Amino acid sequence: MDSIPTTIKNRKLVKEKREQLILAAIKQFPEKGFIKTTLRDLAESAGISHANIYDYVGNKEDIFVLVHDFITSLADKRLNESIHGIRDPLEKLRRMIRAEFDLSFEWADAILFVYQDIHILKKSLLKELLKKESSHVYQFKHVLDELINQGYIKHCNTRIISNLIKI
């Protein structure tokens, strides 16, 4: 969120308004599509004047990034909470998969939108967003590596399996 420029100095206000924009985008983008949704639509839905939206974001791509950051931050938090204090790698994996499913059900529209429309972003931005995704895959890979090391499962390509679980 901090990588998106703003003209407002009050960080709390920026966070609040951007959260309103994120929730508006999560509702609007799946209904109308990214291309057909206007900044005016998003501002109206978020309760921000159209003129003031540019104080918080520069364009719709910024809002796309905010939605993606929102979902990945939520996934980070849920994955970490799900395995907090758990030592058994099999239980960790079970809980991580459950956390992924719960997040997917709760935020299905936002996740579907992000994955369906991510191709419209500039390559540099796309790479940045995919890099954030890779941290979740790494968390699964780490637990799968633990399972192999402790003899729960036989040797396999944990990177591929992690990607399949994440997908």
Side-chain angles (χ1 to χ4, degrees), residues 50-91:
H50 181 250
N52 286 356
I53 197 169
Y54 295 101
D55 291 334
Y56 304 101
V57 295
N59 53 44
K60 277 197 303 186
E61 274 190 344
D62 288 350
I63 297 172
F64 190 107
V65 170
L66 291 173
V67 170
H68 185 271
D69 284 351
F70 174 78
I71 295 298
T72 54
S73 294
L74 214 55
D76 280 341
K77 182 179 180 212
R78 300 252 177 111
L79 283 175
N80 290 328
E81 286 174 353
S82 73
I83 60 172
H84 180 74
I86 305 300
R87 292 184 120 12
D88 178 39
L90 201 53
E91 182 62 17

mmCIF file of all heavy atoms in Angstrom, residues 50-91:
data_model
loop_
_atom_site.group_PDB
_atom_site.id
_atom_site.type_symbol
_atom_site.label_atom_id
_atom_site.label_comp_id
_atom_site.label_asym_id
_atom_site.label_seq_id
_atom_site.Cartn_x
_atom_site.Cartn_y
_atom_site.Cartn_z
ATOM 1 N N HIS A 50 -15.547 12.136 -6.447
ATOM 2 C CA HIS A 50 -14.744 11.761 -7.622
ATOM 3 C C HIS A 50 -13.467 12.593 -7.688
ATOM 4 O O HIS A 50 -12.398 12.082 -8.021
ATOM 5 C CB HIS A 50 -15.560 11.907 -8.904
ATOM 6 C CG HIS A 50 -14.800 11.512 -10.116
ATOM 7 N ND1 HIS A 50 -14.375 12.423 -11.045
ATOM 8 C CD2 HIS A 50 -14.357 10.304 -10.547
ATOM 9 C CE1 HIS A 50 -13.709 11.795 -11.996
ATOM 10 N NE2 HIS A 50 -13.695 10.506 -11.725
ATOM 11 N N ALA A 51 -13.560 13.857 -7.361
ATOM 12 C CA ALA A 51 -12.384 14.730 -7.405
ATOM 13 C C ALA A 51 -11.335 14.316 -6.368
ATOM 14 O O ALA A 51 -10.132 14.422 -6.616
ATOM 15 C CB ALA A 51 -12.788 16.180 -7.181
ATOM 16 N N ASN A 52 -11.778 13.824 -5.220
ATOM 17 C CA ASN A 52 -10.849 13.468 -4.137
ATOM 18 C C ASN A 52 -10.218 12.090 -4.288
ATOM 19 O O ASN A 52 -9.247 11.781 -3.594
ATOM 20 C CB ASN A 52 -11.549 13.542 -2.781
ATOM 21 C CG ASN A 52 -11.779 14.959 -2.332
ATOM 22 O OD1 ASN A 52 -11.352 15.904 -2.995
ATOM 23 N ND2 ASN A 52 -12.472 15.120 -1.228
ATOM 24 N N ILE A 53 -10.732 11.258 -5.163
ATOM 25 C CA ILE A 53 -10.175 9.906 -5.299
ATOM 26 C C ILE A 53 -8.701 9.969 -5.684
ATOM 27 O O ILE A 53 -7.903 9.145 -5.272
ATOM 28 C CB ILE A 53 -10.991 9.046 -6.294
ATOM 29 C CG1 ILE A 53 -10.656 7.561 -6.079
ATOM 30 C CG2 ILE A 53 -10.773 9.474 -7.723
ATOM 31 C CD1 ILE A 53 -11.585 6.612 -6.822
ATOM 32 N N TYR A 54 -8.342 10.989 -6.446
ATOM 33 C CA TYR A 54 -6.954 11.123 -6.898
ATOM 34 C C TYR A 54 -6.001 11.541 -5.769
ATOM 35 O O TYR A 54 -4.794 11.498 -5.949
ATOM 36 C CB TYR A 54 -6.862 12.106 -8.070
ATOM 37 C CG TYR A 54 -7.582 11.578 -9.283
ATOM 38 C CD1 TYR A 54 -8.847 12.040 -9.623
ATOM 39 C CD2 TYR A 54 -7.008 10.588 -10.072
ATOM 40 C CE1 TYR A 54 -9.515 11.533 -10.732
ATOM 41 C CE2 TYR A 54 -7.662 10.084 -11.184
ATOM 42 C CZ TYR A 54 -8.925 10.554 -11.508
ATOM 43 O OH TYR A 54 -9.571 10.048 -12.592
ATOM 44 N N ASP A 55 -6.551 11.912 -4.620
ATOM 45 C CA ASP A 55 -5.717 12.171 -3.451
ATOM 46 C C ASP A 55 -5.210 10.855 -2.841
ATOM 47 O O ASP A 55 -4.217 10.843 -2.119
ATOM 48 C CB ASP A 55 -6.497 12.928 -2.370
ATOM 49 C CG ASP A 55 -6.829 14.358 -2.767
ATOM 50 O OD1 ASP A 55 -6.081 14.930 -3.592
ATOM 51 O OD2 ASP A 55 -7.841 14.888 -2.267
ATOM 52 N N TYR A 56 -5.908 9.758 -3.141
ATOM 53 C CA TYR A 56 -5.603 8.471 -2.523
ATOM 54 C C TYR A 56 -4.994 7.450 -3.483
ATOM 55 O O TYR A 56 -4.280 6.552 -3.049
ATOM 56 C CB TYR A 56 -6.865 7.895 -1.875
ATOM 57 C CG TYR A 56 -7.452 8.866 -0.878
ATOM 58 C CD1 TYR A 56 -8.552 9.656 -1.196
ATOM 59 C CD2 TYR A 56 -6.857 9.038 0.364
ATOM 60 C CE1 TYR A 56 -9.065 10.571 -0.289
ATOM 61 C CE2 TYR A 56 -7.347 9.955 1.278
ATOM 62 C CZ TYR A 56 -8.456 10.719 0.939
ATOM 63 O OH TYR A 56 -8.939 11.640 1.826
ATOM 64 N N VAL A 57 -5.316 7.575 -4.768
ATOM 65 C CA VAL A 57 -4.771 6.678 -5.799
ATOM 66 C C VAL A 57 -4.577 7.479 -7.085
ATOM 67 O O VAL A 57 -5.218 8.509 -7.284
ATOM 68 C CB VAL A 57 -5.692 5.465 -6.083
ATOM 69 C CG1 VAL A 57 -5.792 4.557 -4.871
ATOM 70 C CG2 VAL A 57 -7.067 5.901 -6.548
ATOM 71 N N GLY A 58 -3.727 6.959 -7.948
ATOM 72 C CA GLY A 58 -3.493 7.640 -9.214
ATOM 73 C C GLY A 58 -4.381 7.145 -10.337
ATOM 74 O O GLY A 58 -4.737 7.893 -11.238
ATOM 75 N N ASN A 59 -4.766 5.831 -10.275
ATOM 76 C CA ASN A 59 -5.549 5.242 -11.350
ATOM 77 C C ASN A 59 -6.165 3.921 -10.886
ATOM 78 O O ASN A 59 -5.957 3.503 -9.746
ATOM 79 C CB ASN A 59 -4.664 5.030 -12.589
ATOM 80 C CG ASN A 59 -3.408 4.240 -12.256
ATOM 81 O OD1 ASN A 59 -3.459 3.254 -11.543
ATOM 82 N ND2 ASN A 59 -2.266 4.699 -12.765
ATOM 83 N N LYS A 60 -6.882 3.260 -11.793
ATOM 84 C CA LYS A 60 -7.515 1.981 -11.444
ATOM 85 C C LYS A 60 -6.485 0.887 -11.172
ATOM 86 O O LYS A 60 -6.733 0.009 -10.352
ATOM 87 C CB LYS A 60 -8.461 1.513 -12.556
ATOM 88 C CG LYS A 60 -9.825 2.131 -12.481
ATOM 89 C CD LYS A 60 -10.860 1.377 -13.305
ATOM 90 C CE LYS A 60 -10.480 1.254 -14.748
ATOM 91 N NZ LYS A 60 -11.549 0.656 -15.571
ATOM 92 N N GLU A 61 -5.355 0.928 -11.842
ATOM 93 C CA GLU A 61 -4.314 -0.071 -11.577
ATOM 94 C C GLU A 61 -3.873 -0.010 -10.113
ATOM 95 O O GLU A 61 -3.609 -1.039 -9.506
ATOM 96 C CB GLU A 61 -3.114 0.117 -12.500
ATOM 97 C CG GLU A 61 -3.256 -0.570 -13.826
ATOM 98 C CD GLU A 61 -1.950 -0.570 -14.617
ATOM 99 O OE1 GLU A 61 -1.021 0.201 -14.295
ATOM 100 O OE2 GLU A 61 -1.883 -1.359 -15.567
ATOM 101 N N ASP A 62 -3.784 1.193 -9.569
ATOM 102 C CA ASP A 62 -3.436 1.335 -8.147
ATOM 103 C C ASP A 62 -4.458 0.615 -7.275
ATOM 104 O O ASP A 62 -4.093 -0.045 -6.291
ATOM 105 C CB ASP A 62 -3.375 2.809 -7.736
ATOM 106 C CG ASP A 62 -2.167 3.544 -8.285
ATOM 107 O OD1 ASP A 62 -1.257 2.886 -8.828
ATOM 108 O OD2 ASP A 62 -2.143 4.789 -8.177
ATOM 109 N N ILE A 63 -5.719 0.722 -7.635
ATOM 110 C CA ILE A 63 -6.767 0.064 -6.855
ATOM 111 C C ILE A 63 -6.656 -1.448 -6.999
ATOM 112 O O ILE A 63 -6.835 -2.194 -6.032
ATOM 113 C CB ILE A 63 -8.164 0.593 -7.243
ATOM 114 C CG1 ILE A 63 -8.247 2.086 -6.897
ATOM 115 C CG2 ILE A 63 -9.262 -0.193 -6.530
ATOM 116 C CD1 ILE A 63 -9.479 2.792 -7.392
ATOM 117 N N PHE A 64 -6.324 -1.907 -8.201
ATOM 118 C CA PHE A 64 -6.089 -3.339 -8.421
ATOM 119 C C PHE A 64 -4.981 -3.815 -7.480
ATOM 120 O O PHE A 64 -5.115 -4.852 -6.827
ATOM 121 C CB PHE A 64 -5.693 -3.587 -9.879
ATOM 122 C CG PHE A 64 -5.652 -5.032 -10.278
ATOM 123 C CD1 PHE A 64 -6.635 -5.558 -11.089
ATOM 124 C CD2 PHE A 64 -4.642 -5.870 -9.842
ATOM 125 C CE1 PHE A 64 -6.603 -6.899 -11.470
ATOM 126 C CE2 PHE A 64 -4.596 -7.206 -10.208
ATOM 127 C CZ PHE A 64 -5.590 -7.720 -11.026
ATOM 128 N N VAL A 65 -3.902 -3.066 -7.414
ATOM 129 C CA VAL A 65 -2.782 -3.412 -6.527
ATOM 130 C C VAL A 65 -3.241 -3.420 -5.073
ATOM 131 O O VAL A 65 -2.871 -4.318 -4.304
ATOM 132 C CB VAL A 65 -1.592 -2.442 -6.732
ATOM 133 C CG1 VAL A 65 -0.529 -2.637 -5.670
ATOM 134 C CG2 VAL A 65 -1.007 -2.618 -8.127
ATOM 135 N N LEU A 66 -4.050 -2.457 -4.692
ATOM 136 C CA LEU A 66 -4.558 -2.404 -3.322
ATOM 137 C C LEU A 66 -5.398 -3.642 -3.000
ATOM 138 O O LEU A 66 -5.276 -4.208 -1.907
ATOM 139 C CB LEU A 66 -5.383 -1.138 -3.091
ATOM 140 C CG LEU A 66 -4.617 0.177 -3.082
ATOM 141 C CD1 LEU A 66 -5.586 1.359 -3.015
ATOM 142 C CD2 LEU A 66 -3.634 0.240 -1.926
ATOM 143 N N VAL A 67 -6.237 -4.058 -3.947
ATOM 144 C CA VAL A 67 -7.059 -5.253 -3.736
ATOM 145 C C VAL A 67 -6.150 -6.474 -3.592
ATOM 146 O O VAL A 67 -6.328 -7.283 -2.680
ATOM 147 C CB VAL A 67 -8.079 -5.451 -4.878
ATOM 148 C CG1 VAL A 67 -8.762 -6.819 -4.776
ATOM 149 C CG2 VAL A 67 -9.123 -4.336 -4.872
ATOM 150 N N HIS A 68 -5.169 -6.590 -4.464
ATOM 151 C CA HIS A 68 -4.243 -7.716 -4.396
ATOM 152 C C HIS A 68 -3.489 -7.704 -3.065
ATOM 153 O O HIS A 68 -3.358 -8.741 -2.408
ATOM 154 C CB HIS A 68 -3.259 -7.683 -5.563
ATOM 155 C CG HIS A 68 -2.372 -8.873 -5.615
ATOM 156 N ND1 HIS A 68 -1.159 -8.922 -4.954
ATOM 157 C CD2 HIS A 68 -2.520 -10.075 -6.223
ATOM 158 C CE1 HIS A 68 -0.614 -10.103 -5.156
ATOM 159 N NE2 HIS A 68 -1.406 -10.819 -5.927
ATOM 160 N N ASP A 69 -2.990 -6.548 -2.664
ATOM 161 C CA ASP A 69 -2.285 -6.436 -1.381
ATOM 162 C C ASP A 69 -3.188 -6.818 -0.208
ATOM 163 O O ASP A 69 -2.743 -7.467 0.740
ATOM 164 C CB ASP A 69 -1.757 -5.016 -1.165
ATOM 165 C CG ASP A 69 -0.522 -4.709 -1.976
ATOM 166 O OD1 ASP A 69 0.049 -5.638 -2.584
ATOM 167 O OD2 ASP A 69 -0.125 -3.528 -2.022
ATOM 168 N N PHE A 70 -4.438 -6.404 -0.290
ATOM 169 C CA PHE A 70 -5.418 -6.728 0.752
ATOM 170 C C PHE A 70 -5.568 -8.243 0.883
ATOM 171 O O PHE A 70 -5.481 -8.797 1.981
ATOM 172 C CB PHE A 70 -6.763 -6.076 0.413
ATOM 173 C CG PHE A 70 -7.889 -6.457 1.326
ATOM 174 C CD1 PHE A 70 -8.009 -5.877 2.579
ATOM 175 C CD2 PHE A 70 -8.839 -7.383 0.921
ATOM 176 C CE1 PHE A 70 -9.062 -6.233 3.422
ATOM 177 C CE2 PHE A 70 -9.889 -7.740 1.758
ATOM 178 C CZ PHE A 70 -10.001 -7.169 3.003
ATOM 179 N N ILE A 71 -5.749 -8.913 -0.247
ATOM 180 C CA ILE A 71 -5.943 -10.367 -0.238
ATOM 181 C C ILE A 71 -4.669 -11.086 0.213
ATOM 182 O O ILE A 71 -4.725 -12.008 1.035
ATOM 183 C CB ILE A 71 -6.395 -10.875 -1.628
ATOM 184 C CG1 ILE A 71 -7.783 -10.317 -1.985
ATOM 185 C CG2 ILE A 71 -6.389 -12.402 -1.700
ATOM 186 C CD1 ILE A 71 -8.902 -10.735 -1.055
ATOM 187 N N THR A 72 -3.509 -10.676 -0.309
ATOM 188 C CA THR A 72 -2.266 -11.363 0.081
ATOM 189 C C THR A 72 -1.932 -11.107 1.552
ATOM 190 O O THR A 72 -1.436 -12.008 2.230
ATOM 191 C CB THR A 72 -1.069 -10.981 -0.816
ATOM 192 O OG1 THR A 72 -0.917 -9.574 -0.841
ATOM 193 C CG2 THR A 72 -1.244 -11.516 -2.220
ATOM 194 N N SER A 73 -2.216 -9.920 2.043
ATOM 195 C CA SER A 73 -1.982 -9.638 3.466
ATOM 196 C C SER A 73 -2.887 -10.488 4.340
ATOM 197 O O SER A 73 -2.466 -11.001 5.382
ATOM 198 C CB SER A 73 -2.221 -8.160 3.774
ATOM 199 O OG SER A 73 -1.279 -7.368 3.138
ATOM 200 N N LEU A 74 -4.131 -10.621 3.913
ATOM 201 C CA LEU A 74 -5.078 -11.457 4.640
ATOM 202 C C LEU A 74 -4.610 -12.912 4.630
ATOM 203 O O LEU A 74 -4.658 -13.596 5.657
ATOM 204 C CB LEU A 74 -6.455 -11.346 3.973
ATOM 205 C CG LEU A 74 -7.692 -11.413 4.822
ATOM 206 C CD1 LEU A 74 -7.658 -10.372 5.927
ATOM 207 C CD2 LEU A 74 -8.925 -11.229 3.960
ATOM 208 N N ALA A 75 -4.137 -13.378 3.474
ATOM 209 C CA ALA A 75 -3.634 -14.751 3.361
ATOM 210 C C ALA A 75 -2.416 -14.951 4.265
ATOM 211 O O ALA A 75 -2.324 -15.972 4.964
ATOM 212 C CB ALA A 75 -3.290 -15.080 1.917
ATOM 213 N N ASP A 76 -1.498 -13.989 4.262
ATOM 214 C CA ASP A 76 -0.323 -14.063 5.148
ATOM 215 C C ASP A 76 -0.756 -14.218 6.600
ATOM 216 O O ASP A 76 -0.278 -15.099 7.320
ATOM 217 C CB ASP A 76 0.523 -12.792 5.042
ATOM 218 C CG ASP A 76 1.429 -12.751 3.841
ATOM 219 O OD1 ASP A 76 1.700 -13.818 3.252
ATOM 220 O OD2 ASP A 76 1.874 -11.643 3.493
ATOM 221 N N LYS A 77 -1.642 -13.342 6.989
ATOM 222 C CA LYS A 77 -2.111 -13.325 8.379
ATOM 223 C C LYS A 77 -2.780 -14.653 8.740
ATOM 224 O O LYS A 77 -2.482 -15.252 9.774
ATOM 225 C CB LYS A 77 -3.090 -12.169 8.574
ATOM 226 C CG LYS A 77 -3.606 -12.024 9.978
ATOM 227 C CD LYS A 77 -4.550 -10.851 10.109
ATOM 228 C CE LYS A 77 -5.018 -10.767 11.548
ATOM 229 N NZ LYS A 77 -6.363 -10.264 11.679
ATOM 230 N N ARG A 78 -3.663 -15.120 7.880
ATOM 231 C CA ARG A 78 -4.392 -16.357 8.166
ATOM 232 C C ARG A 78 -3.464 -17.568 8.184
ATOM 233 O O ARG A 78 -3.615 -18.449 9.032
ATOM 234 C CB ARG A 78 -5.506 -16.565 7.143
ATOM 235 C CG ARG A 78 -6.526 -15.445 7.133
ATOM 236 C CD ARG A 78 -7.835 -15.870 7.725
ATOM 237 N NE ARG A 78 -8.778 -14.778 7.765
ATOM 238 C CZ ARG A 78 -9.871 -14.710 7.018
ATOM 239 N NH1 ARG A 78 -10.141 -15.664 6.154
ATOM 240 N NH2 ARG A 78 -10.687 -13.697 7.139
ATOM 241 N N LEU A 79 -2.527 -17.627 7.243
ATOM 242 C CA LEU A 79 -1.589 -18.755 7.222
ATOM 243 C C LEU A 79 -0.751 -18.768 8.489
ATOM 244 O O LEU A 79 -0.566 -19.818 9.121
ATOM 245 C CB LEU A 79 -0.684 -18.699 5.995
ATOM 246 C CG LEU A 79 -1.294 -19.146 4.674
ATOM 247 C CD1 LEU A 79 -0.317 -18.921 3.530
ATOM 248 C CD2 LEU A 79 -1.723 -20.596 4.722
ATOM 249 N N ASN A 80 -0.226 -17.609 8.869
ATOM 250 C CA ASN A 80 0.611 -17.528 10.073
ATOM 251 C C ASN A 80 -0.175 -17.859 11.338
ATOM 252 O O ASN A 80 0.326 -18.562 12.215
ATOM 253 C CB ASN A 80 1.265 -16.160 10.179
ATOM 254 C CG ASN A 80 2.326 -15.959 9.115
ATOM 255 O OD1 ASN A 80 2.984 -16.904 8.692
ATOM 256 N ND2 ASN A 80 2.481 -14.739 8.656
ATOM 257 N N GLU A 81 -1.403 -17.351 11.418
ATOM 258 C CA GLU A 81 -2.235 -17.652 12.583
ATOM 259 C C GLU A 81 -2.582 -19.132 12.649
ATOM 260 O O GLU A 81 -2.650 -19.711 13.731
ATOM 261 C CB GLU A 81 -3.533 -16.839 12.545
ATOM 262 C CG GLU A 81 -3.354 -15.385 12.884
ATOM 263 C CD GLU A 81 -4.633 -14.571 12.692
ATOM 264 O OE1 GLU A 81 -5.643 -15.105 12.170
ATOM 265 O OE2 GLU A 81 -4.618 -13.383 13.055
ATOM 266 N N SER A 82 -2.795 -19.742 11.487
ATOM 267 C CA SER A 82 -3.225 -21.142 11.456
ATOM 268 C C SER A 82 -2.166 -22.099 12.000
ATOM 269 O O SER A 82 -2.504 -23.165 12.513
ATOM 270 C CB SER A 82 -3.630 -21.551 10.039
ATOM 271 O OG SER A 82 -2.499 -21.690 9.198
ATOM 272 N N ILE A 83 -0.905 -21.727 11.894
ATOM 273 C CA ILE A 83 0.161 -22.643 12.344
ATOM 274 C C ILE A 83 0.899 -22.143 13.579
ATOM 275 O O ILE A 83 1.857 -22.771 14.014
ATOM 276 C CB ILE A 83 1.167 -22.928 11.203
ATOM 277 C CG1 ILE A 83 1.846 -21.651 10.718
ATOM 278 C CG2 ILE A 83 0.490 -23.682 10.077
ATOM 279 C CD1 ILE A 83 2.981 -21.884 9.739
ATOM 280 N N HIS A 84 0.434 -21.050 14.128
ATOM 281 C CA HIS A 84 1.082 -20.496 15.316
ATOM 282 C C HIS A 84 1.117 -21.545 16.437
ATOM 283 O O HIS A 84 0.104 -22.096 16.846
ATOM 284 C CB HIS A 84 0.348 -19.243 15.793
ATOM 285 C CG HIS A 84 0.968 -18.637 17.010
ATOM 286 N ND1 HIS A 84 2.152 -17.938 16.969
ATOM 287 C CD2 HIS A 84 0.584 -18.668 18.306
ATOM 288 C CE1 HIS A 84 2.464 -17.548 18.174
ATOM 289 N NE2 HIS A 84 1.529 -17.974 19.015
ATOM 290 N N GLY A 85 2.313 -21.839 16.900
ATOM 291 C CA GLY A 85 2.497 -22.765 18.011
ATOM 292 C C GLY A 85 2.402 -24.238 17.638
ATOM 293 O O GLY A 85 2.503 -25.095 18.502
ATOM 294 N N ILE A 86 2.206 -24.546 16.362
ATOM 295 C CA ILE A 86 2.078 -25.933 15.917
ATOM 296 C C ILE A 86 3.441 -26.440 15.467
ATOM 297 O O ILE A 86 4.108 -25.800 14.661
ATOM 298 C CB ILE A 86 1.057 -26.059 14.756
ATOM 299 C CG1 ILE A 86 -0.295 -25.466 15.142
ATOM 300 C CG2 ILE A 86 0.936 -27.504 14.293
ATOM 301 C CD1 ILE A 86 -0.955 -26.117 16.330
ATOM 302 N N ARG A 87 3.838 -27.586 15.979
ATOM 303 C CA ARG A 87 5.145 -28.142 15.633
ATOM 304 C C ARG A 87 5.036 -29.279 14.609
ATOM 305 O O ARG A 87 5.907 -29.464 13.797
ATOM 306 C CB ARG A 87 5.846 -28.653 16.890
ATOM 307 C CG ARG A 87 6.236 -27.508 17.840
ATOM 308 C CD ARG A 87 7.004 -28.011 19.011
ATOM 309 N NE ARG A 87 8.321 -27.619 19.355
ATOM 310 C CZ ARG A 87 9.084 -26.636 18.910
ATOM 311 N NH1 ARG A 87 8.664 -25.879 17.965
ATOM 312 N NH2 ARG A 87 10.274 -26.392 19.393
ATOM 313 N N ASP A 88 3.977 -30.048 14.686
ATOM 314 C CA ASP A 88 3.801 -31.190 13.795
ATOM 315 C C ASP A 88 3.550 -30.699 12.358
ATOM 316 O O ASP A 88 2.576 -29.998 12.098
ATOM 317 C CB ASP A 88 2.616 -32.037 14.271
ATOM 318 C CG ASP A 88 2.342 -33.222 13.368
ATOM 319 O OD1 ASP A 88 3.314 -33.842 12.892
ATOM 320 O OD2 ASP A 88 1.152 -33.519 13.135
ATOM 321 N N PRO A 89 4.433 -31.063 11.410
ATOM 322 C CA PRO A 89 4.285 -30.564 10.040
ATOM 323 C C PRO A 89 3.004 -31.039 9.352
ATOM 324 O O PRO A 89 2.439 -30.306 8.541
ATOM 325 C CB PRO A 89 5.527 -31.097 9.318
ATOM 326 C CG PRO A 89 6.071 -32.173 10.162
ATOM 327 C CD PRO A 89 5.622 -31.919 11.556
ATOM 328 N N LEU A 90 2.515 -32.215 9.696
ATOM 329 C CA LEU A 90 1.275 -32.703 9.097
ATOM 330 C C LEU A 90 0.094 -31.845 9.552
ATOM 331 O O LEU A 90 -0.770 -31.484 8.746
ATOM 332 C CB LEU A 90 1.059 -34.166 9.479
ATOM 333 C CG LEU A 90 0.137 -34.990 8.613
ATOM 334 C CD1 LEU A 90 0.519 -34.913 7.146
ATOM 335 C CD2 LEU A 90 0.137 -36.440 9.085
ATOM 336 N N GLU A 91 0.096 -31.499 10.813
ATOM 337 C CA GLU A 91 -0.957 -30.622 11.345
ATOM 338 C C GLU A 91 -0.825 -29.220 10.759
ATOM 339 O O GLU A 91 -1.818 -28.558 10.467
ATOM 340 C CB GLU A 91 -0.904 -30.593 12.878
ATOM 341 C CG GLU A 91 -1.984 -29.749 13.519
ATOM 342 C CD GLU A 91 -3.408 -30.218 13.253
ATOM 343 O OE1 GLU A 91 -3.627 -31.372 12.835
ATOM 344 O OE2 GLU A 91 -4.331 -29.404 13.450
#
